[in-house]
Amino acid sequence: MTMTTLSAVFRCFSGCPGEHSLDQAIYRCPTCGGLLAVQHDLAALSALHDGAGWREVFDSRYRARDIVDGSGVWGKREWVAPGVPTGDVVTTGEGGSPLFPARRLGAEVDIPELYVKQCGASHTGSFKDLGMTVLASVVSSAIKHGRMTPRTLACASTGDTSAALAAYGALAGMPVAVLLPRGLVSTAQLVQPIAHGARVISLDTDFDGCMKVVQELAARDLVYLANSMNPLRIEGQKTVAFEVAQQLGWDPPEWIVLPSGNLGNAAALHAGFAMLKELGLTSRMPRLCVAQAENANPMYRAFHAKETTVASVTAKKTVASAIQIGAPVSAPRAMRALEAMNGVVEQASEDELSDACARADRAGLYACPHTGVALAAAFKLRAQGLIKKTDRVVVVSTANALKFTEFKVRYHEGTLPDVDSRRANKPVELAADVDVVAKHLAATS
Ligand SMILES: *Cc1c(COP(=O)(O)O)cnc(C)c1O
Ligand SMILES: [Zn+2]
């Protein structure tokens, strides 16, 4: 047994000196007030195994029978949160989701090697589980060993964050409070934190308004902040990059396309692909496409105006409700990700994202509106020639579309604003008579 000690600490994202324990309830750099990042001891990690050695370790645990090893996040625990003993891990066996080769859809849009990373195939139905398992494990372990005083875990949410926080909080036996924008989350998303016993607080504002309130509660030390401003979330979410590389035989795709709102996940993909390259498991990073809804597109605007900072906008209503965000907290992190990954930002209108979903569904997928934004962006990049025909393109599907039944129903009824439901499929009502049904089948085949 090697005795190399692995460690990870919080550091200022902008490089101010000083480091802070992951057990500290700290969300901003005490020097500059900016964002924090988790810094791993890369020298210790490479002393433990070389690239090939780590690939072997990760492959041996992939979807293993043991729930901790078999978790897509905790199977890579040394790279995620090495300080958490395996006995303290709060897990639902998240991760290990399919990388689905979307052959029929890809053929239609001239991207033969189109893949969809199905992050919605998870306990609470979105990729948020990947970050929340890390946050819940670090915090509950710290509390258990007397290194943190117990407090309520809290978040602002467009729906999926609160579902994941409530589930992992319930698993760990920790109190949870969630702040939701009134009328802007789906029924399925609203009922999840209710069912898990969280305090569900609906505020008469949008996501950005909820975010302001929860940040102030955290600053007053009344709650522990569970939004992705907290870099513990990003540590778990970066395993999407690890898995995509692993599922492609440790040969990263040419492009990865991600629907983005608060932009934490864009930072997570960058952190993951950068770490793989640095520790010698892969030799390059994919190009990144950050995909936004046209109705909530602050990053798109900043990128195309060649700005280095992102100005807030007032997000307009979009069916891609999880990314209806005008003041993205992780914008500086995403800027760095775009730079490092030779990235671009694309957008999709309500009509484009809805049509992309309908096309995907017809080809056997079942795409949530956010996945529709990313699919539409990929189709546009292909049409522009930026994505080449031979490129392997991974679209990250961030949630399970079963959470967005209202969207599907309204699409097929033709009642979504600004959407032409060209692929609507209307059910028919017929008499319970074999001849009537046979006649209908013959007439419509
Ligand atoms: C949270 C979420 C996003 C956006 O992720 P960010 O890290 O906020 O950019 C996209 N899609 C779904 C379904 C989400 O729940
Ligand atoms: Zn700083």
Side-chain angles (χ1 to χ4, degrees), residues 125-128 157-161 189 207 228 233-234 237 258-268 290-292 320-325 328 330 368-371 396-400 403-404:
S126 86
F127 78 86
K128 299 295 199 294
S157 178
T158 52
D160 291 330
T161 301
Q189 291 170 315
F207 170 82
S228 59
R233 290 264 313 278
I234 293 178
Q237 290 171 204
L258 177 76
S260 295
N262 223 6
L263 295 166
N265 219 14
V290 164
Q292 294 208 296
S321 49
I323 55 175
Q324 188 178 321
I325 295 175
S330 286
C368 80
H370 322 87
T371 306
V396 179
S397 173
T398 44
N400 191 317
K403 288 196 183 206
F404 300 92

Short mmCIF file of all heavy atoms in Angstrom, two decimals, residues 125-128 157-161 189 207 228 233-234 237 258-268 290-292 320-325 328 330 368-371 396-400 403-404, ligand 1:
data_model
loop_
_atom_site.label_atom_id
_atom_site.label_comp_id
_atom_site.label_asym_id
_atom_site.label_seq_id
_atom_site.Cartn_x
_atom_site.Cartn_y
_atom_site.Cartn_z
N GLY A 125 -33.30 12.71 -11.71
CA GLY A 125 -33.62 13.03 -13.09
C GLY A 125 -32.85 14.18 -13.70
O GLY A 125 -33.27 14.71 -14.73
N SER A 126 -31.73 14.56 -13.11
CA SER A 126 -30.88 15.57 -13.77
C SER A 126 -29.43 15.39 -13.33
O SER A 126 -29.14 14.68 -12.37
CB SER A 126 -31.33 17.00 -13.44
OG SER A 126 -30.75 17.46 -12.23
N PHE A 127 -28.53 16.06 -14.05
CA PHE A 127 -27.10 15.97 -13.71
C PHE A 127 -26.79 16.59 -12.35
O PHE A 127 -25.69 16.40 -11.83
CB PHE A 127 -26.25 16.67 -14.79
CG PHE A 127 -26.23 18.16 -14.69
CD1 PHE A 127 -25.33 18.81 -13.86
CD2 PHE A 127 -27.13 18.94 -15.40
CE1 PHE A 127 -25.32 20.20 -13.74
CE2 PHE A 127 -27.12 20.32 -15.29
CZ PHE A 127 -26.22 20.95 -14.46
N LYS A 128 -27.72 17.32 -11.75
CA LYS A 128 -27.46 17.97 -10.47
C LYS A 128 -27.08 16.95 -9.38
O LYS A 128 -26.39 17.29 -8.42
CB LYS A 128 -28.67 18.79 -10.02
CG LYS A 128 -29.09 19.92 -10.96
CD LYS A 128 -28.04 20.99 -11.05
CE LYS A 128 -28.56 22.34 -11.59
NZ LYS A 128 -29.02 22.35 -12.98
N SER A 157 -33.21 27.82 -6.89
CA SER A 157 -33.26 26.77 -7.91
C SER A 157 -34.27 27.07 -9.00
O SER A 157 -35.32 27.67 -8.74
CB SER A 157 -33.62 25.45 -7.25
OG SER A 157 -33.73 24.41 -8.20
N THR A 158 -33.96 26.62 -10.21
CA THR A 158 -34.97 26.60 -11.27
C THR A 158 -35.66 25.24 -11.29
O THR A 158 -36.37 24.92 -12.23
CB THR A 158 -34.33 26.90 -12.65
OG1 THR A 158 -33.23 26.01 -12.84
CG2 THR A 158 -33.83 28.32 -12.74
N GLY A 159 -35.41 24.41 -10.28
CA GLY A 159 -36.15 23.17 -10.15
C GLY A 159 -35.28 21.95 -9.88
O GLY A 159 -35.53 21.19 -8.95
N ASP A 160 -34.25 21.74 -10.70
CA ASP A 160 -33.47 20.52 -10.57
C ASP A 160 -32.50 20.54 -9.40
O ASP A 160 -32.27 19.52 -8.75
CB ASP A 160 -32.71 20.24 -11.88
CG ASP A 160 -33.65 19.85 -13.01
OD1 ASP A 160 -34.70 19.26 -12.71
OD2 ASP A 160 -33.34 20.14 -14.18
N THR A 161 -31.92 21.69 -9.10
CA THR A 161 -31.01 21.79 -7.96
C THR A 161 -31.77 21.49 -6.66
O THR A 161 -31.27 20.76 -5.79
CB THR A 161 -30.39 23.21 -7.88
OG1 THR A 161 -29.70 23.46 -9.09
CG2 THR A 161 -29.42 23.33 -6.73
N GLN A 189 -40.92 18.97 -10.90
CA GLN A 189 -39.79 19.51 -10.13
C GLN A 189 -40.22 20.07 -8.79
O GLN A 189 -39.50 19.96 -7.81
CB GLN A 189 -39.10 20.62 -10.93
CG GLN A 189 -38.37 20.14 -12.16
CD GLN A 189 -37.93 21.31 -13.01
OE1 GLN A 189 -38.69 22.25 -13.24
NE2 GLN A 189 -36.70 21.27 -13.46
N PHE A 207 -35.34 33.36 -10.94
CA PHE A 207 -34.21 32.65 -10.33
C PHE A 207 -33.19 33.63 -9.79
O PHE A 207 -32.66 33.46 -8.67
CB PHE A 207 -33.53 31.72 -11.36
CG PHE A 207 -32.23 31.16 -10.83
CD1 PHE A 207 -32.23 30.05 -9.98
CD2 PHE A 207 -31.01 31.75 -11.14
CE1 PHE A 207 -31.04 29.55 -9.46
CE2 PHE A 207 -29.81 31.25 -10.63
CZ PHE A 207 -29.83 30.15 -9.79
N SER A 228 -24.22 26.20 -7.22
CA SER A 228 -22.94 25.84 -7.85
C SER A 228 -21.89 26.94 -7.74
O SER A 228 -20.76 26.77 -8.17
CB SER A 228 -23.14 25.44 -9.31
OG SER A 228 -23.73 26.49 -10.04
N ARG A 233 -19.87 21.49 -5.75
CA ARG A 233 -20.79 21.00 -6.78
C ARG A 233 -20.03 20.71 -8.08
O ARG A 233 -20.24 19.70 -8.76
CB ARG A 233 -21.88 22.04 -7.05
CG ARG A 233 -22.89 22.23 -5.91
CD ARG A 233 -24.15 21.41 -6.14
NE ARG A 233 -24.64 21.58 -7.50
CZ ARG A 233 -25.40 22.60 -7.93
NH1 ARG A 233 -25.80 23.52 -7.10
NH2 ARG A 233 -25.78 22.67 -9.19
N ILE A 234 -19.14 21.62 -8.42
CA ILE A 234 -18.40 21.50 -9.68
C ILE A 234 -17.50 20.27 -9.66
O ILE A 234 -17.32 19.60 -10.68
CB ILE A 234 -17.62 22.81 -9.93
CG1 ILE A 234 -18.66 23.91 -10.19
CG2 ILE A 234 -16.63 22.67 -11.07
CD1 ILE A 234 -18.13 25.27 -10.42
N GLN A 237 -19.68 17.44 -10.72
CA GLN A 237 -20.16 17.58 -12.10
C GLN A 237 -19.05 17.37 -13.12
O GLN A 237 -19.31 17.00 -14.26
CB GLN A 237 -20.83 18.95 -12.27
CG GLN A 237 -22.15 19.02 -11.51
CD GLN A 237 -22.78 20.40 -11.46
OE1 GLN A 237 -23.55 20.69 -10.57
NE2 GLN A 237 -22.45 21.28 -12.39
N LEU A 258 -23.21 21.89 -24.58
CA LEU A 258 -23.82 21.89 -23.25
C LEU A 258 -24.84 23.01 -23.10
O LEU A 258 -24.51 24.18 -23.34
CB LEU A 258 -22.68 22.10 -22.22
CG LEU A 258 -23.08 22.20 -20.76
CD1 LEU A 258 -23.41 20.82 -20.24
CD2 LEU A 258 -21.95 22.81 -19.95
N PRO A 259 -26.07 22.70 -22.67
CA PRO A 259 -27.02 23.79 -22.39
C PRO A 259 -26.65 24.46 -21.07
O PRO A 259 -26.42 23.79 -20.07
CB PRO A 259 -28.36 23.06 -22.27
CG PRO A 259 -28.02 21.68 -21.81
CD PRO A 259 -26.65 21.36 -22.38
N SER A 260 -26.59 25.79 -21.07
CA SER A 260 -26.03 26.50 -19.91
C SER A 260 -26.88 27.65 -19.45
O SER A 260 -27.46 28.38 -20.25
CB SER A 260 -24.63 27.04 -20.26
OG SER A 260 -23.76 25.97 -20.50
N GLY A 261 -26.95 27.80 -18.11
CA GLY A 261 -27.67 28.90 -17.51
C GLY A 261 -26.78 29.66 -16.55
O GLY A 261 -26.26 30.73 -16.84
N ASN A 262 -26.57 29.07 -15.37
CA ASN A 262 -25.70 29.70 -14.37
C ASN A 262 -24.23 29.47 -14.68
O ASN A 262 -23.36 30.03 -14.04
CB ASN A 262 -26.05 29.15 -12.97
CG ASN A 262 -26.12 30.23 -11.92
OD1 ASN A 262 -26.02 31.42 -12.22
ND2 ASN A 262 -26.26 29.82 -10.68
N LEU A 263 -23.95 28.58 -15.63
CA LEU A 263 -22.62 28.34 -16.21
C LEU A 263 -21.67 27.55 -15.33
O LEU A 263 -20.48 27.43 -15.63
CB LEU A 263 -21.97 29.67 -16.66
CG LEU A 263 -22.71 30.37 -17.81
CD1 LEU A 263 -22.23 31.82 -17.97
CD2 LEU A 263 -22.52 29.64 -19.13
N GLY A 264 -22.17 26.96 -14.25
CA GLY A 264 -21.33 26.11 -13.41
C GLY A 264 -20.90 24.85 -14.13
O GLY A 264 -19.76 24.40 -14.00
N ASN A 265 -21.80 24.29 -14.92
CA ASN A 265 -21.49 23.03 -15.59
C ASN A 265 -20.46 23.22 -16.70
O ASN A 265 -19.66 22.31 -16.96
CB ASN A 265 -22.79 22.44 -16.16
CG ASN A 265 -22.84 20.93 -16.02
OD1 ASN A 265 -22.04 20.33 -15.29
ND2 ASN A 265 -23.75 20.31 -16.73
N ALA A 266 -20.45 24.38 -17.33
CA ALA A 266 -19.42 24.66 -18.34
C ALA A 266 -18.04 24.64 -17.66
O ALA A 266 -17.08 24.07 -18.18
CB ALA A 266 -19.68 26.01 -19.00
N ALA A 267 -17.98 25.24 -16.48
CA ALA A 267 -16.73 25.24 -15.71
C ALA A 267 -16.35 23.82 -15.30
O ALA A 267 -15.18 23.44 -15.30
CB ALA A 267 -16.89 26.12 -14.47
N ALA A 268 -17.37 23.02 -14.99
CA ALA A 268 -17.11 21.64 -14.55
C ALA A 268 -16.52 20.80 -15.69
O ALA A 268 -15.58 20.04 -15.48
CB ALA A 268 -18.40 21.01 -14.04
N VAL A 290 -21.04 26.30 -25.58
CA VAL A 290 -22.02 26.68 -24.56
C VAL A 290 -23.29 27.09 -25.31
O VAL A 290 -23.25 27.98 -26.16
CB VAL A 290 -21.48 27.86 -23.71
CG1 VAL A 290 -22.60 28.52 -22.91
CG2 VAL A 290 -20.37 27.38 -22.78
N ALA A 291 -24.40 26.40 -25.02
CA ALA A 291 -25.65 26.66 -25.73
C ALA A 291 -26.64 27.35 -24.80
O ALA A 291 -26.88 26.86 -23.69
CB ALA A 291 -26.23 25.35 -26.26
N GLN A 292 -27.18 28.47 -25.23
CA GLN A 292 -28.14 29.20 -24.39
C GLN A 292 -29.47 29.38 -25.12
O GLN A 292 -29.53 29.38 -26.35
CB GLN A 292 -27.57 30.58 -24.03
CG GLN A 292 -26.33 30.49 -23.15
CD GLN A 292 -26.18 31.72 -22.27
OE1 GLN A 292 -25.99 32.82 -22.77
NE2 GLN A 292 -26.26 31.52 -20.96
N ALA A 320 -37.21 26.30 -21.71
CA ALA A 320 -36.00 25.74 -21.10
C ALA A 320 -35.81 26.41 -19.74
O ALA A 320 -34.88 27.18 -19.50
CB ALA A 320 -34.79 25.96 -22.00
N SER A 321 -36.73 26.11 -18.81
CA SER A 321 -36.85 26.88 -17.57
C SER A 321 -35.62 26.75 -16.67
O SER A 321 -35.32 27.67 -15.90
CB SER A 321 -38.10 26.42 -16.81
OG SER A 321 -38.13 25.01 -16.71
N ALA A 322 -34.88 25.65 -16.76
CA ALA A 322 -33.72 25.47 -15.90
C ALA A 322 -32.57 26.41 -16.28
O ALA A 322 -31.62 26.57 -15.52
CB ALA A 322 -33.22 24.02 -15.95
N ILE A 323 -32.66 27.00 -17.48
CA ILE A 323 -31.59 27.93 -17.88
C ILE A 323 -32.15 29.33 -18.12
O ILE A 323 -31.57 30.13 -18.84
CB ILE A 323 -30.80 27.40 -19.10
CG1 ILE A 323 -31.71 27.07 -20.28
CG2 ILE A 323 -30.01 26.15 -18.70
CD1 ILE A 323 -30.93 26.65 -21.55
N GLN A 324 -33.29 29.61 -17.49
CA GLN A 324 -33.85 30.97 -17.57
C GLN A 324 -33.16 31.84 -16.52
O GLN A 324 -33.70 32.14 -15.47
CB GLN A 324 -35.37 30.90 -17.35
CG GLN A 324 -36.07 32.23 -17.61
CD GLN A 324 -37.57 32.11 -17.44
OE1 GLN A 324 -38.17 31.11 -17.82
NE2 GLN A 324 -38.19 33.14 -16.87
N ILE A 325 -31.92 32.21 -16.82
CA ILE A 325 -31.05 32.90 -15.87
C ILE A 325 -30.39 34.08 -16.59
O ILE A 325 -29.82 33.90 -17.67
CB ILE A 325 -29.98 31.93 -15.31
CG1 ILE A 325 -30.67 30.82 -14.48
CG2 ILE A 325 -28.94 32.66 -14.47
CD1 ILE A 325 -29.74 29.73 -13.98
N PRO A 328 -25.62 35.05 -14.63
CA PRO A 328 -24.95 33.78 -14.30
C PRO A 328 -23.78 33.95 -13.33
O PRO A 328 -22.84 34.69 -13.60
CB PRO A 328 -24.47 33.26 -15.65
CG PRO A 328 -24.47 34.43 -16.56
CD PRO A 328 -25.50 35.39 -16.06
N SER A 330 -21.46 31.81 -12.40
CA SER A 330 -20.16 31.23 -12.78
C SER A 330 -19.63 31.79 -14.10
O SER A 330 -18.76 31.15 -14.73
CB SER A 330 -20.26 29.71 -12.86
OG SER A 330 -20.31 29.16 -11.55
N CYS A 368 -35.44 16.71 -23.10
CA CYS A 368 -35.97 17.84 -22.32
C CYS A 368 -35.65 19.12 -23.08
O CYS A 368 -34.79 19.13 -23.96
CB CYS A 368 -35.38 17.84 -20.91
SG CYS A 368 -33.71 18.55 -20.80
N PRO A 369 -36.31 20.24 -22.75
CA PRO A 369 -36.09 21.47 -23.52
C PRO A 369 -34.64 21.97 -23.50
O PRO A 369 -34.20 22.58 -24.48
CB PRO A 369 -37.02 22.49 -22.85
CG PRO A 369 -37.86 21.76 -21.88
CD PRO A 369 -37.39 20.36 -21.77
N HIS A 370 -33.92 21.69 -22.42
CA HIS A 370 -32.52 22.15 -22.33
C HIS A 370 -31.64 21.35 -23.28
O HIS A 370 -30.79 21.90 -23.97
CB HIS A 370 -32.03 22.04 -20.88
CG HIS A 370 -33.13 22.41 -19.94
ND1 HIS A 370 -34.04 21.48 -19.50
CD2 HIS A 370 -33.51 23.61 -19.47
CE1 HIS A 370 -34.96 22.10 -18.78
NE2 HIS A 370 -34.66 23.39 -18.74
N THR A 371 -31.92 20.05 -23.32
CA THR A 371 -31.24 19.19 -24.29
C THR A 371 -31.57 19.67 -25.70
O THR A 371 -30.70 19.66 -26.59
CB THR A 371 -31.66 17.73 -24.06
OG1 THR A 371 -31.42 17.41 -22.69
CG2 THR A 371 -30.89 16.78 -24.95
N VAL A 396 -24.66 17.11 -24.28
CA VAL A 396 -24.98 16.73 -22.91
C VAL A 396 -26.47 16.95 -22.68
O VAL A 396 -26.97 18.07 -22.79
CB VAL A 396 -24.15 17.55 -21.89
CG1 VAL A 396 -24.52 17.15 -20.46
CG2 VAL A 396 -22.65 17.34 -22.12
N SER A 397 -27.16 15.85 -22.39
CA SER A 397 -28.57 15.93 -22.02
C SER A 397 -28.61 16.09 -20.50
O SER A 397 -28.18 15.21 -19.77
CB SER A 397 -29.31 14.66 -22.44
OG SER A 397 -30.63 14.70 -21.93
N THR A 398 -29.11 17.23 -20.04
CA THR A 398 -28.95 17.58 -18.63
C THR A 398 -30.07 17.06 -17.74
O THR A 398 -29.89 16.97 -16.53
CB THR A 398 -28.84 19.11 -18.48
OG1 THR A 398 -29.82 19.72 -19.33
CG2 THR A 398 -27.46 19.60 -18.87
N ALA A 399 -31.22 16.77 -18.32
CA ALA A 399 -32.33 16.29 -17.48
C ALA A 399 -33.18 15.27 -18.22
O ALA A 399 -33.15 15.18 -19.45
CB ALA A 399 -33.22 17.46 -17.02
N ASN A 400 -33.94 14.53 -17.45
CA ASN A 400 -34.88 13.57 -17.98
C ASN A 400 -36.14 14.31 -18.43
O ASN A 400 -36.72 15.08 -17.66
CB ASN A 400 -35.22 12.57 -16.86
CG ASN A 400 -35.99 11.37 -17.37
OD1 ASN A 400 -36.90 11.50 -18.17
ND2 ASN A 400 -35.59 10.21 -16.91
N LYS A 403 -39.61 15.01 -16.59
CA LYS A 403 -39.87 16.15 -15.70
C LYS A 403 -40.58 17.28 -16.43
O LYS A 403 -40.99 18.25 -15.79
CB LYS A 403 -38.54 16.71 -15.17
CG LYS A 403 -37.81 15.87 -14.16
CD LYS A 403 -36.76 16.77 -13.49
CE LYS A 403 -35.91 16.05 -12.50
NZ LYS A 403 -35.39 17.01 -11.48
N PHE A 404 -40.64 17.19 -17.76
CA PHE A 404 -41.15 18.32 -18.53
C PHE A 404 -42.33 17.91 -19.42
O PHE A 404 -42.43 18.27 -20.58
CB PHE A 404 -40.01 18.95 -19.36
CG PHE A 404 -38.90 19.45 -18.47
CD1 PHE A 404 -37.82 18.62 -18.16
CD2 PHE A 404 -38.96 20.71 -17.88
CE1 PHE A 404 -36.82 19.05 -17.30
CE2 PHE A 404 -37.96 21.15 -17.02
CZ PHE A 404 -36.89 20.32 -16.73
C1 LIG B 1 -29.03 23.33 -13.93
C2 LIG B 1 -29.42 22.92 -15.30
C3 LIG B 1 -28.79 23.45 -16.45
C4 LIG B 1 -27.78 24.55 -16.39
O1 LIG B 1 -26.58 24.26 -15.73
P1 LIG B 1 -25.67 25.50 -15.25
O2 LIG B 1 -24.56 24.87 -14.54
O3 LIG B 1 -26.55 26.35 -14.39
O4 LIG B 1 -25.26 26.23 -16.50
C5 LIG B 1 -29.15 22.96 -17.69
N1 LIG B 1 -30.12 22.02 -17.80
C6 LIG B 1 -30.76 21.51 -16.73
C7 LIG B 1 -31.83 20.50 -16.96
C8 LIG B 1 -30.43 21.94 -15.46
O5 LIG B 1 -31.08 21.42 -14.40
#
